[in-house]
Amino acid sequence: MTNKSCDECHPDIYDEFKSSYHSKNYFNDELHRRVAELASQRKYDCGACHMPAAKNLKAMERGLARPNPIHKRQKEGVSCFYCHEIAFVKEAHKRNKIVLAKQAEGYKPTIFGSLKNPDSSDKHSMVKSPIYKRYACVGCHSHKVNDHNVTIFRAMKKGESSESCIKCHMPLTPGPPEKMNKKARQSHHSHRFEGIHDASMRKKAVDINISAKPGDTTLKIVLVNKMGHPLIIQAARMKYLKIEILRDGKVIWKNFSKSPYEDKKGTFVTEFIDKDGHPVAIPSFAFGYGFVNNLEAKEKRTLVYKVPILKKGDKISVSLMLYLVKPSCWSTLKLKDKSLMEPILMEKKIYEVK
């Protein structure tokens, strides 16, 4: 079944899914496409997570075919049907493996979910499965190790449950999961899968606390990662602190002048290197790490800065900023969508010295 076929019975969920990044695919997600193209002009081995419903996925992974928009299932993103036929997730070193339920040919398919006492329809049977509370997210959102044994993506630890993912990224939303609503359900799990691209989610990510008093020559900033996963997950991302001390409306100190990289403790990013120690932008080619600074899940960290003698009335501005694509990748990726390279404000705190 295509994503569109779900619209007939699940219009609200279908609309949510259409606005989500799960609906993005090789053809309409420029960042993913450029990384995939530069990683290999022959193979497309990102498809297991980014194009899982494709019929010729194995051929693309072996370099025998390339993504082609003529194939409808290649444009489905993380398709509804694919995601709801997961039978098991097998943990593995390079990336986890998703095992799909076998469907009996000639019969309507069986799909799985977390609903108690689920309904079936003329299109499919429906079964409750514990997979969707515990393992569904782990299939793609756990980790990825490249051919040189370098971890280039990590969101979840081994054995971690999907429950915390669902709580934040699929919160209960008013309205039934299906149009007929024969069971009079009052809510469903949102399928918007909100994350880093959503301003409301970004604001929930990190707490910023500022500590300073008159006469101090040090500034303490306490960061608390409130998320159940590291601050930096995807290799392209970068987050950094922009700190300014203002006196009588003028900036008397800041943590960097031109580039966030000047303040390494306030810059959260993973930079990769090749076998000769040179910077590399495409994670598939990485042999190691050049620079790594991250906040782990629920981690609390205190950053201390040497500053001019603080006076009463000084204002301290601390902003947590985000690059969806870090500066070290710009020249390599040559993206047309310049918004991906614009700094985005995640959170800002202003503290007055008293």
Side-chain angles (χ1 to χ4, degrees), residues 141 152-155 229-237 239 294:
H141 292 275
I152 58 177
F153 170 93
R154 181 174 67 84
H229 54 71
L231 180 63
I232 296 294
I233 296 174
Q234 292 185 354
R237 310 286 188 239
K239 294 168 185 175
N294 208 352

Side-chain angles (χ1 to χ4, degrees), residues 269-325:
V269 69
T270 299
E271 299 288 1
F272 299 99
I273 53 174
D274 63 17
K275 62 181 178 180
D276 299 316
H278 300 134
V280 59
I282 304 303
S284 299
F285 305 140
F287 278 76
Y289 306 103
F291 172 70
V292 178
N293 188 26
N294 208 352
L295 282 178
E296 291 300 315
K298 306 297 182 180
E299 181 182 349
K300 178 180 180 180
R301 188 182 300 179
T302 301
L303 308 183
V304 180
Y305 292 89
K306 186 75 174 176
V307 298
I309 298 173
L310 295 171
K311 295 183 178 180
K312 185 177 181 180
D314 287 350
K315 291 185 177 178
I316 302 167
S317 171
V318 180
S319 301
L320 179 62
M321 307 297 295
L322 158 71
Y323 278 122
L324 291 170
V325 177

Side-chain angles (χ1 to χ4, degrees), residues 15-49:
D15 286 343
E16 291 167 357
F17 171 82
K18 280 198 305 180
S19 70
S20 78
Y21 257 73
H22 273 195
S23 71
K24 291 284 187 179
N25 59 70
Y26 177 92
F27 306 104
N28 62 14
D29 185 344
E30 185 191 11
L31 173 58
H32 169 65
R33 183 173 65 254
R34 286 296 294 147
V35 172
E37 288 172 344
L38 291 168
S40 176
Q41 286 290 316
R42 187 173 62 87
K43 298 190 297 182
Y44 178 61
D45 56 5
C46 314
C49 290

Side-chain angles (χ1 to χ4, degrees), residues 252-267:
I252 64 165
W253 181 88
K254 52 188 176 182
N255 63 325
F256 65 86
S257 57
K258 293 182 179 179
S259 167
Y261 289 103
E262 296 169 29
D263 175 18
K264 291 192 179 298
K265 61 188 170 189
T267 297

